[in-house]
């Protein structure tokens, strides 16, 4: 019968009457229409305590314990992503290292797992802080260093690194990230202290970075930090602020010197090839002239030898031939000819320039015996229609005849 069945007014779900008392219960009620809390607690204790009542007794308690054990065992399941490593610790000591995938370990408090991302690129800033609110983000206690020549240099570098060994990273060093910062600063001070200020600030930047990186990595490996430097960048290198103006003047002077040197080298590269070309051309011209003079002299010597041979065979004819050739060469180069006798009278003028070209030319005086002048005069009177070449031929024939006579 339902608790609110008609005919039983005032009865509650626990079988109590409207006056708040349970059946066969002489205790006072807790309140109007309220259940007895102590009774509820008693039933729960009976359920968990193993009494043989209608709620199941010890069987229910066993199921609860089994469920708790299962939940505890399932809490040991964990997942490791591909860029991560799982380090299992048993009672705080290193047990094993797991890679990507689904794994299980004995749940806490026996074993615990620490997940370490070995592909994450971490950054350490030496000499400055990018999130700092002070001026330029500078940290003078880290940035100011003493060089070999006892000058102060303000250097700021950024180190990018990642975890190479998760076990060493977690167990061998207390604070590996802070250790890296300290080791990098120490290596940077050592390298700067071995070089001059000008070298560090100018042409030695790349060398300084390489030396600091190698020295830092070497110390990190000796300390078993499990860290590996991926890159080390020199953010800024300059003198202290108090002397920056003077140093800027020095840098400008150095740049001007380099500019002038480059301009001089460019001018040298432009002039030297031209000079070498001109020298080579003059050398070739000299060699050509040398060969030409030698060839001409050789030809003249050979010609003289051949003439001498012919002169030995016929001296008279050879002399006549040479004389005629010489006179032909002389008369052939002028347009005016004067013909005279040995006595100085009867000088004959032959206007060859007017008869040939009608212009003026050079004059060449030449004297011959009187009989030759008379013959030439008679010949000239009859040569109004003759050409200059024919007159020269007549003179040449007369001279040949006179010599042969």
């Amino acid at each position: 019968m339902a608790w609110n069945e008609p005919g039983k007014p005032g009865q509650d779900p626990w079988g109590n009457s409207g006056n708040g008392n349970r059946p066969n219960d002489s205790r006072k009620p807790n309140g109007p229409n309220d259940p007895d809390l102590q009774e509820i607690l008693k039933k729960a204790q009976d359920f968990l305590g193993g009494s043989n009542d209608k709620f199941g007794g010890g069987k229910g308690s066993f199921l609860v314990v089994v469920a708790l054990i299962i939940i505890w065992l399932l809490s040991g399941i964990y997942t490791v992503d591909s860029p991560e490593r799982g380090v299992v610790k048993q009672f705080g000591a290193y047990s094993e290292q797991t890679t990507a995938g689904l794994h299980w370990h004995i749940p806490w408090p026996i074993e615990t797992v620490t997940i370490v991302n070995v592909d994450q690129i971490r950054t350490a800033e030496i000499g400055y802080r990018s999130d700092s609110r002070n001026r330029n983000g500078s940290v003078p206690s880290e940035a100011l260093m003493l060089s070999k020549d006892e000058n102060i240099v303000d250097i700021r570098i950024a180190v990018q690194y990642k975890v190479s060994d998760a076990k060493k990273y977690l167990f061998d060093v207390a604070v590996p990230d802070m250790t890296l910062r300290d080791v990098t600063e120490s290596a940077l001070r050592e390298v700067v202290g071995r070089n001059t200020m000008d070298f560090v600030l100018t042409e030695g930047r790349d060398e300084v970075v390489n030396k600091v990186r190698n020295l830092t990595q070497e110390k990190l490996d000796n300390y078993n930090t499990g860290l590996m430097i991926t890159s080390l960048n020199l953010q800024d290198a300059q003198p202290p602020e108090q002397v920056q103006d003077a140093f800027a003047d020095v840098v400008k002077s150095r740049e001007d010197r380099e500019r002038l040197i480059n301009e001089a080298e460019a001018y040298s590269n432009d002039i030297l090839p031209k000079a070498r070309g001109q020298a080579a051309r003059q050398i070739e011209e000299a060699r050509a002239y040398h060969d030409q003079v030698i060839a001409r002299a050789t030809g003249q010597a050979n010609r003289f030898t051949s003439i001498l041979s012919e002169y030995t065979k016929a001296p008279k004819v050879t002399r006549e031939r040479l004389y005629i050739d010489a006179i032909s060469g002389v008369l052939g180069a002028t347009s005016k000819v004067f013909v005279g006798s040995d006595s100085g009278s009867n000088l004959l003028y032959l206007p060859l320039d007017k008869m040939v070209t009608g212009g003026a030319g050079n004059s060449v005086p030449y004297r011959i015996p009187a009989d030759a002048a008379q013959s030439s005069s008679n010949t000239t009177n009859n040569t109004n229609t003759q050409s200059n070449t024919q007159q020269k031929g007549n003179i040449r024939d007369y001279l040949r005849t006179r010599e042969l006579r």
Side-chain angles (χ1 to χ4, degrees), residues 193-215:
R194 293 179 178 178
N195 297 278
T196 61
M197 178 180 180
D198 290 339
F199 179 81
V200 174
L201 300 182
T202 56
E203 70 272 9
R205 286 172 173 257
D206 294 337
E207 183 176 348
V208 169
V209 170
N210 293 332
K211 287 183 178 181
V212 172
R213 176 175 179 175
N214 296 334
L215 185 59

PDB file of all heavy atoms in Angstrom, residues 193-215:
ATOM      1  N   GLY A 193      87.111  38.624 -22.500  1.00  0.00           N
ATOM      2  CA  GLY A 193      88.333  38.964 -21.782  1.00  0.00           C
ATOM      3  C   GLY A 193      89.595  38.565 -22.513  1.00  0.00           C
ATOM      4  O   GLY A 193      90.685  39.066 -22.197  1.00  0.00           O
ATOM      5  N   ARG A 194      89.491  37.690 -23.505  1.00  0.00           N
ATOM      6  CA  ARG A 194      90.657  37.263 -24.277  1.00  0.00           C
ATOM      7  C   ARG A 194      90.848  38.066 -25.560  1.00  0.00           C
ATOM      8  O   ARG A 194      91.806  37.816 -26.301  1.00  0.00           O
ATOM      9  CB  ARG A 194      90.531  35.787 -24.640  1.00  0.00           C
ATOM     10  CG  ARG A 194      90.604  34.849 -23.442  1.00  0.00           C
ATOM     11  CD  ARG A 194      90.453  33.407 -23.880  1.00  0.00           C
ATOM     12  NE  ARG A 194      90.559  32.476 -22.755  1.00  0.00           N
ATOM     13  CZ  ARG A 194      90.430  31.145 -22.867  1.00  0.00           C
ATOM     14  NH1 ARG A 194      90.191  30.628 -24.055  1.00  0.00           N
ATOM     15  NH2 ARG A 194      90.543  30.379 -21.813  1.00  0.00           N
ATOM     16  N   ASN A 195      89.957  39.005 -25.852  1.00  0.00           N
ATOM     17  CA  ASN A 195      90.031  39.774 -27.092  1.00  0.00           C
ATOM     18  C   ASN A 195      89.899  41.256 -26.786  1.00  0.00           C
ATOM     19  O   ASN A 195      89.397  41.647 -25.727  1.00  0.00           O
ATOM     20  CB  ASN A 195      88.919  39.350 -28.063  1.00  0.00           C
ATOM     21  CG  ASN A 195      89.061  37.906 -28.498  1.00  0.00           C
ATOM     22  OD1 ASN A 195      89.813  37.579 -29.397  1.00  0.00           O
ATOM     23  ND2 ASN A 195      88.306  37.021 -27.846  1.00  0.00           N
ATOM     24  N   THR A 196      90.339  42.062 -27.746  1.00  0.00           N
ATOM     25  CA  THR A 196      90.258  43.511 -27.581  1.00  0.00           C
ATOM     26  C   THR A 196      88.850  44.008 -27.896  1.00  0.00           C
ATOM     27  O   THR A 196      88.039  43.302 -28.499  1.00  0.00           O
ATOM     28  CB  THR A 196      91.264  44.202 -28.508  1.00  0.00           C
ATOM     29  OG1 THR A 196      90.950  43.890 -29.876  1.00  0.00           O
ATOM     30  CG2 THR A 196      92.684  43.741 -28.206  1.00  0.00           C
ATOM     31  N   MET A 197      88.619  45.236 -27.498  1.00  0.00           N
ATOM     32  CA  MET A 197      87.296  45.831 -27.693  1.00  0.00           C
ATOM     33  C   MET A 197      86.981  46.000 -29.182  1.00  0.00           C
ATOM     34  O   MET A 197      85.866  45.692 -29.623  1.00  0.00           O
ATOM     35  CB  MET A 197      87.241  47.182 -26.978  1.00  0.00           C
ATOM     36  CG  MET A 197      85.942  47.933 -27.140  1.00  0.00           C
ATOM     37  SD  MET A 197      85.988  49.497 -26.252  1.00  0.00           S
ATOM     38  CE  MET A 197      84.366  50.132 -26.621  1.00  0.00           C
ATOM     39  N   ASP A 198      87.948  46.484 -29.954  1.00  0.00           N
ATOM     40  CA  ASP A 198      87.711  46.683 -31.385  1.00  0.00           C
ATOM     41  C   ASP A 198      87.393  45.375 -32.079  1.00  0.00           C
ATOM     42  O   ASP A 198      86.523  45.316 -32.957  1.00  0.00           O
ATOM     43  CB  ASP A 198      88.931  47.339 -32.034  1.00  0.00           C
ATOM     44  CG  ASP A 198      89.106  48.783 -31.592  1.00  0.00           C
ATOM     45  OD1 ASP A 198      88.102  49.362 -31.125  1.00  0.00           O
ATOM     46  OD2 ASP A 198      90.217  49.316 -31.694  1.00  0.00           O
ATOM     47  N   PHE A 199      88.077  44.316 -31.695  1.00  0.00           N
ATOM     48  CA  PHE A 199      87.827  43.018 -32.317  1.00  0.00           C
ATOM     49  C   PHE A 199      86.425  42.523 -31.999  1.00  0.00           C
ATOM     50  O   PHE A 199      85.722  41.993 -32.867  1.00  0.00           O
ATOM     51  CB  PHE A 199      88.870  42.015 -31.833  1.00  0.00           C
ATOM     52  CG  PHE A 199      88.685  40.636 -32.398  1.00  0.00           C
ATOM     53  CD1 PHE A 199      89.131  40.330 -33.665  1.00  0.00           C
ATOM     54  CD2 PHE A 199      88.059  39.652 -31.643  1.00  0.00           C
ATOM     55  CE1 PHE A 199      88.952  39.054 -34.189  1.00  0.00           C
ATOM     56  CE2 PHE A 199      87.880  38.383 -32.162  1.00  0.00           C
ATOM     57  CZ  PHE A 199      88.331  38.079 -33.436  1.00  0.00           C
ATOM     58  N   VAL A 200      86.003  42.683 -30.754  1.00  0.00           N
ATOM     59  CA  VAL A 200      84.678  42.201 -30.345  1.00  0.00           C
ATOM     60  C   VAL A 200      83.571  42.983 -31.027  1.00  0.00           C
ATOM     61  O   VAL A 200      82.542  42.426 -31.437  1.00  0.00           O
ATOM     62  CB  VAL A 200      84.534  42.265 -28.819  1.00  0.00           C
ATOM     63  CG1 VAL A 200      83.112  41.916 -28.394  1.00  0.00           C
ATOM     64  CG2 VAL A 200      85.527  41.317 -28.157  1.00  0.00           C
ATOM     65  N   LEU A 201      83.755  44.293 -31.193  1.00  0.00           N
ATOM     66  CA  LEU A 201      82.690  45.141 -31.719  1.00  0.00           C
ATOM     67  C   LEU A 201      82.655  45.191 -33.237  1.00  0.00           C
ATOM     68  O   LEU A 201      81.647  45.626 -33.803  1.00  0.00           O
ATOM     69  CB  LEU A 201      82.835  46.566 -31.172  1.00  0.00           C
ATOM     70  CG  LEU A 201      82.761  46.717 -29.653  1.00  0.00           C
ATOM     71  CD1 LEU A 201      82.859  48.182 -29.278  1.00  0.00           C
ATOM     72  CD2 LEU A 201      81.479  46.119 -29.099  1.00  0.00           C
ATOM     73  N   THR A 202      83.722  44.777 -33.910  1.00  0.00           N
ATOM     74  CA  THR A 202      83.770  44.928 -35.369  1.00  0.00           C
ATOM     75  C   THR A 202      83.884  43.572 -36.054  1.00  0.00           C
ATOM     76  O   THR A 202      82.910  42.839 -36.154  1.00  0.00           O
ATOM     77  CB  THR A 202      84.941  45.855 -35.764  1.00  0.00           C
ATOM     78  OG1 THR A 202      86.159  45.340 -35.217  1.00  0.00           O
ATOM     79  CG2 THR A 202      84.704  47.251 -35.231  1.00  0.00           C
ATOM     80  N   GLU A 203      85.093  43.245 -36.513  1.00  0.00           N
ATOM     81  CA  GLU A 203      85.227  42.057 -37.364  1.00  0.00           C
ATOM     82  C   GLU A 203      85.176  40.752 -36.596  1.00  0.00           C
ATOM     83  O   GLU A 203      85.083  39.676 -37.215  1.00  0.00           O
ATOM     84  CB  GLU A 203      86.547  42.129 -38.149  1.00  0.00           C
ATOM     85  CG  GLU A 203      87.813  41.943 -37.312  1.00  0.00           C
ATOM     86  CD  GLU A 203      88.313  43.249 -36.742  1.00  0.00           C
ATOM     87  OE1 GLU A 203      87.594  44.271 -36.846  1.00  0.00           O
ATOM     88  OE2 GLU A 203      89.426  43.270 -36.176  1.00  0.00           O
ATOM     89  N   GLY A 204      85.243  40.774 -35.259  1.00  0.00           N
ATOM     90  CA  GLY A 204      85.282  39.530 -34.493  1.00  0.00           C
ATOM     91  C   GLY A 204      83.946  39.055 -33.975  1.00  0.00           C
ATOM     92  O   GLY A 204      83.905  38.155 -33.124  1.00  0.00           O
ATOM     93  N   ARG A 205      82.854  39.629 -34.429  1.00  0.00           N
ATOM     94  CA  ARG A 205      81.534  39.248 -33.893  1.00  0.00           C
ATOM     95  C   ARG A 205      81.236  37.765 -34.119  1.00  0.00           C
ATOM     96  O   ARG A 205      80.839  37.044 -33.189  1.00  0.00           O
ATOM     97  CB  ARG A 205      80.444  40.100 -34.535  1.00  0.00           C
ATOM     98  CG  ARG A 205      80.388  41.538 -34.028  1.00  0.00           C
ATOM     99  CD  ARG A 205      79.421  42.370 -34.830  1.00  0.00           C
ATOM    100  NE  ARG A 205      79.228  43.691 -34.254  1.00  0.00           N
ATOM    101  CZ  ARG A 205      78.171  44.064 -33.557  1.00  0.00           C
ATOM    102  NH1 ARG A 205      77.193  43.211 -33.349  1.00  0.00           N
ATOM    103  NH2 ARG A 205      78.079  45.286 -33.057  1.00  0.00           N
ATOM    104  N   ASP A 206      81.398  37.310 -35.346  1.00  0.00           N
ATOM    105  CA  ASP A 206      81.084  35.910 -35.647  1.00  0.00           C
ATOM    106  C   ASP A 206      81.999  34.967 -34.879  1.00  0.00           C
ATOM    107  O   ASP A 206      81.557  33.916 -34.377  1.00  0.00           O
ATOM    108  CB  ASP A 206      81.210  35.662 -37.150  1.00  0.00           C
ATOM    109  CG  ASP A 206      80.169  36.431 -37.952  1.00  0.00           C
ATOM    110  OD1 ASP A 206      79.128  36.775 -37.367  1.00  0.00           O
ATOM    111  OD2 ASP A 206      80.407  36.687 -39.149  1.00  0.00           O
ATOM    112  N   GLU A 207      83.254  35.318 -34.788  1.00  0.00           N
ATOM    113  CA  GLU A 207      84.187  34.457 -34.062  1.00  0.00           C
ATOM    114  C   GLU A 207      83.835  34.393 -32.579  1.00  0.00           C
ATOM    115  O   GLU A 207      83.915  33.319 -31.951  1.00  0.00           O
ATOM    116  CB  GLU A 207      85.614  34.976 -34.251  1.00  0.00           C
ATOM    117  CG  GLU A 207      86.663  34.103 -33.605  1.00  0.00           C
ATOM    118  CD  GLU A 207      88.073  34.585 -33.901  1.00  0.00           C
ATOM    119  OE1 GLU A 207      88.219  35.449 -34.794  1.00  0.00           O
ATOM    120  OE2 GLU A 207      89.022  34.096 -33.243  1.00  0.00           O
ATOM    121  N   VAL A 208      83.444  35.507 -32.003  1.00  0.00           N
ATOM    122  CA  VAL A 208      83.045  35.523 -30.592  1.00  0.00           C
ATOM    123  C   VAL A 208      81.828  34.631 -30.367  1.00  0.00           C
ATOM    124  O   VAL A 208      81.777  33.848 -29.410  1.00  0.00           O
ATOM    125  CB  VAL A 208      82.762  36.971 -30.143  1.00  0.00           C
ATOM    126  CG1 VAL A 208      82.088  36.986 -28.768  1.00  0.00           C
ATOM    127  CG2 VAL A 208      84.050  37.772 -30.096  1.00  0.00           C
ATOM    128  N   VAL A 209      80.848  34.731 -31.254  1.00  0.00           N
ATOM    129  CA  VAL A 209      79.638  33.912 -31.115  1.00  0.00           C
ATOM    130  C   VAL A 209      79.977  32.431 -31.187  1.00  0.00           C
ATOM    131  O   VAL A 209      79.492  31.617 -30.373  1.00  0.00           O
ATOM    132  CB  VAL A 209      78.617  34.301 -32.203  1.00  0.00           C
ATOM    133  CG1 VAL A 209      77.471  33.301 -32.233  1.00  0.00           C
ATOM    134  CG2 VAL A 209      78.065  35.695 -31.935  1.00  0.00           C
ATOM    135  N   ASN A 210      80.806  32.041 -32.128  1.00  0.00           N
ATOM    136  CA  ASN A 210      81.160  30.622 -32.272  1.00  0.00           C
ATOM    137  C   ASN A 210      81.924  30.110 -31.060  1.00  0.00           C
ATOM    138  O   ASN A 210      81.673  28.998 -30.573  1.00  0.00           O
ATOM    139  CB  ASN A 210      81.987  30.428 -33.543  1.00  0.00           C
ATOM    140  CG  ASN A 210      81.182  30.680 -34.805  1.00  0.00           C
ATOM    141  OD1 ASN A 210      79.967  30.502 -34.819  1.00  0.00           O
ATOM    142  ND2 ASN A 210      81.847  31.114 -35.856  1.00  0.00           N
ATOM    143  N   LYS A 211      82.849  30.909 -30.562  1.00  0.00           N
ATOM    144  CA  LYS A 211      83.616  30.474 -29.393  1.00  0.00           C
ATOM    145  C   LYS A 211      82.724  30.351 -28.155  1.00  0.00           C
ATOM    146  O   LYS A 211      82.853  29.385 -27.391  1.00  0.00           O
ATOM    147  CB  LYS A 211      84.756  31.460 -29.132  1.00  0.00           C
ATOM    148  CG  LYS A 211      85.888  31.365 -30.143  1.00  0.00           C
ATOM    149  CD  LYS A 211      87.016  32.310 -29.773  1.00  0.00           C
ATOM    150  CE  LYS A 211      88.185  32.188 -30.747  1.00  0.00           C
ATOM    151  NZ  LYS A 211      89.302  33.104 -30.383  1.00  0.00           N
ATOM    152  N   VAL A 212      81.834  31.300 -27.952  1.00  0.00           N
ATOM    153  CA  VAL A 212      80.930  31.238 -26.793  1.00  0.00           C
ATOM    154  C   VAL A 212      80.017  30.026 -26.887  1.00  0.00           C
ATOM    155  O   VAL A 212      79.790  29.318 -25.889  1.00  0.00           O
ATOM    156  CB  VAL A 212      80.109  32.537 -26.700  1.00  0.00           C
ATOM    157  CG1 VAL A 212      79.024  32.415 -25.636  1.00  0.00           C
ATOM    158  CG2 VAL A 212      81.008  33.710 -26.376  1.00  0.00           C
ATOM    159  N   ARG A 213      79.508  29.751 -28.058  1.00  0.00           N
ATOM    160  CA  ARG A 213      78.615  28.596 -28.213  1.00  0.00           C
ATOM    161  C   ARG A 213      79.352  27.296 -27.922  1.00  0.00           C
ATOM    162  O   ARG A 213      78.842  26.436 -27.190  1.00  0.00           O
ATOM    163  CB  ARG A 213      78.051  28.579 -29.634  1.00  0.00           C
ATOM    164  CG  ARG A 213      77.187  27.362 -29.915  1.00  0.00           C
ATOM    165  CD  ARG A 213      76.556  27.432 -31.276  1.00  0.00           C
ATOM    166  NE  ARG A 213      75.753  26.245 -31.543  1.00  0.00           N
ATOM    167  CZ  ARG A 213      75.008  26.082 -32.623  1.00  0.00           C
ATOM    168  NH1 ARG A 213      74.961  27.029 -33.543  1.00  0.00           N
ATOM    169  NH2 ARG A 213      74.304  24.977 -32.781  1.00  0.00           N
ATOM    170  N   ASN A 214      80.554  27.128 -28.488  1.00  0.00           N
ATOM    171  CA  ASN A 214      81.289  25.884 -28.267  1.00  0.00           C
ATOM    172  C   ASN A 214      81.686  25.718 -26.810  1.00  0.00           C
ATOM    173  O   ASN A 214      81.566  24.616 -26.237  1.00  0.00           O
ATOM    174  CB  ASN A 214      82.532  25.861 -29.158  1.00  0.00           C
ATOM    175  CG  ASN A 214      82.188  25.845 -30.634  1.00  0.00           C
ATOM    176  OD1 ASN A 214      81.117  25.384 -31.033  1.00  0.00           O
ATOM    177  ND2 ASN A 214      83.086  26.340 -31.467  1.00  0.00           N
ATOM    178  N   LEU A 215      82.135  26.800 -26.196  1.00  0.00           N
ATOM    179  CA  LEU A 215      82.555  26.723 -24.798  1.00  0.00           C
ATOM    180  C   LEU A 215      81.366  26.449 -23.884  1.00  0.00           C
ATOM    181  O   LEU A 215      81.457  25.647 -22.940  1.00  0.00           O
ATOM    182  CB  LEU A 215      83.254  28.023 -24.402  1.00  0.00           C
ATOM    183  CG  LEU A 215      83.870  28.076 -23.002  1.00  0.00           C
ATOM    184  CD1 LEU A 215      84.904  26.978 -22.837  1.00  0.00           C
ATOM    185  CD2 LEU A 215      84.513  29.440 -22.750  1.00  0.00           C
TER     186      LEU A 215
END
